[in-house]
Amino acid sequence: MRRILIITILTLALAASESFSQMGHGMMRYFDAGQRLNCAEEWLKKAIELHELHMKDPKTTTDESQKELMRQIRNAYECVAGKNPETGVMPHMMP
């Protein structure tokens, strides 16, 4: 479980650096870098808290809690990608 969280955080960091490098080329301008990082940070804080709970008391690790952890990680990734974490849609595509 710990390895998965570390890999996820490294993947998010790589995605963020790639996204930020593309900003100057007309891509990913829909959320600024600060908004995306703040959004991702909030979701990652929740994911870390849940992961720490799983590590502290493995009995709390249920299928539902693991799905919630994955949802939180996926939402953090959506933030980094410049998408709405609840819909996965870029803001310019939203109605």
Side-chain angles (χ1 to χ4, degrees):
M1 189 76 151
R2 178 182 242 175
R3 185 181 300 179
I4 292 170
L5 188 60
I6 291 169
I7 290 169
T8 301
I9 291 170
L10 291 174
T11 302
L12 287 170
L14 178 61
S17 66
E18 288 176 7
S19 294
F20 296 152
S21 69
Q22 294 175 356
M23 285 179 65
H25 302 289
M27 300 176 74
M28 306 306 264
R29 289 187 187 161
Y30 307 106
F31 285 141
D32 70 24
Q35 290 172 313
R36 290 188 301 188
L37 286 177
N38 288 339
C39 176
E41 180 181 15
E42 291 303 313
W43 285 110
L44 285 173
K45 282 180 184 178
K46 292 177 184 183
I48 289 167
E49 287 175 9
L50 184 55
H51 176 68
E52 286 175 343
L53 177 63
H54 289 167
M55 297 299 291
K56 189 175 193 178
D57 184 3
K59 293 177 185 175
T60 63
T61 306
T62 63
D63 285 343
E64 191 62 35
S65 70
Q66 288 185 353
K67 287 178 186 177
E68 176 61 19
L69 180 60
M70 187 62 202
R71 185 182 74 80
Q72 292 168 350
I73 293 168
R74 190 173 289 123
N75 284 348
Y77 178 80
E78 295 294 323
C79 291
V80 170
K83 299 178 183 176
N84 180 322
E86 299 299 325
T87 64
V89 175
M90 292 275 216
H92 74 289
M93 297 170 73
M94 297 173 70

